[in-house]
Amino acid sequence: RINKLCEETGLTIPDEDMDTNDPTTVAGRGFGISKWYELFTPRQLLALLTFTKWVKELGREVRKENCEEDLVKIISTYLSLSIDRMGEYLNTGSKWDIGQERNCSVFIRQAIPMVWDYSELNPFEVTVGSFPSMVRLILKDIKNLSEILNSSYVTRTSATELPYSDNFFDAIITDPPYYNN
């Protein structure tokens, strides 16, 4: 079914190689994972690809209604972001949070974990990680971001040698390396 869906839609399965020589990655730990698609079950891949198919189809339908191309791009982008976020929960690395009785994102830490008993959610159910909840989350993010009145600037530089005076910023956000740091 996955191959047929891919043929019909032009979608592709993420079959790029993972770094199996790096012992700090799930692929390099000897579990037999060497391609990105192996982080998903066939059912999970089918669900994610099916959602992607229908977002593409929605874009075509909106175009037929003579909507502005920018509106088509906005709708498709926001729905695609929802599918992307859903992929954080619909994979073989998601764990069950017994305290909150819900699925956890694969990114509960800075690395993709190897779990032996992953949890799987119904992508249509109104629960954390499902498509409806991810659409609501993206809409909430858009609303919150649209209410920011201050401008911001992004500078890519070393955090140890900022080209600004002391006490210039309210906050500095860094993305340090995690392994071999």
Side-chain angles (χ1 to χ4, degrees):
R1 293 177 73 189
I2 293 173
N3 290 336
K4 183 179 179 193
L5 179 66
C6 289
E7 288 173 19
E8 291 172 355
T9 61
L11 298 173
T12 58
I13 295 172
D15 64 351
E16 295 87 4
D17 290 329
M18 296 176 81
D19 184 359
T20 56
N21 295 318
D22 184 352
T24 65
T25 67
V26 70
R29 293 191 199 129
F31 295 118
I33 296 173
S34 61
K35 305 265 186 195
W36 283 102
Y37 74 87
E38 293 170 341
L39 296 173
F40 305 90
T41 66
R43 179 175 51 237
Q44 292 167 336
L45 278 174
L46 181 62
L48 292 167
L49 289 168
T50 301
F51 276 99
T52 303
K53 168 191 170 183
W54 288 111
V55 166
K56 287 179 74 170
E57 182 62 30
L58 177 67
R60 282 191 282 274
E61 290 298 316
V62 172
R63 278 186 189 90
K64 288 180 187 176
E65 298 296 323
N66 294 322
C67 289
E68 293 181 32
E69 186 61 26
D70 285 346
L71 180 61
V72 175
K73 288 179 183 178
I74 289 168
I75 292 168
S76 298
T77 298
Y78 291 152
L79 290 174
S80 297
L81 289 171
S82 300
I83 296 169
D84 178 65
R85 292 292 309 266
M86 189 172 65
E88 292 181 30
Y89 295 85
L90 196 61
N91 59 72
T92 59
S94 293
K95 295 168 77 173
W96 184 252
D97 180 347
I98 58 173
Q100 296 187 37
E101 295 186 356
R102 66 180 184 95
N103 215 32
C104 291
S105 167
V106 70
F107 299 118
I108 57 175
R109 44 181 280 233
Q110 75 273 13
I112 298 173
M114 181 66 182
V115 297
W116 301 109
D117 55 350
Y118 64 91
S119 64
E120 191 169 5
L121 59 85
N122 177 344
F124 299 102
E125 187 65 39
V126 181
T127 185
V128 173
S130 68
F131 189 70
S133 71
M134 294 297 103
V135 169
R136 275 198 302 278
L137 181 66
I138 295 296
L139 290 174
K140 181 181 172 186
D141 291 343
I142 293 166
K143 180 183 180 300
N144 290 340
L145 290 171
S146 69
E147 293 172 352
I148 296 174
L149 301 177
N150 299 339
S151 60
S152 60
Y153 303 94
V154 176
T155 303
R156 184 175 181 205
T157 186
S158 169
T160 60
E161 299 174 11
L162 295 175
Y164 301 96
S165 62
D166 288 347
N167 300 319
F168 184 83
F169 297 105
D170 294 325
I172 297 174
I173 301 166
T174 64
D175 185 17
Y178 296 108
Y179 292 106
N180 301 325
N181 57 347

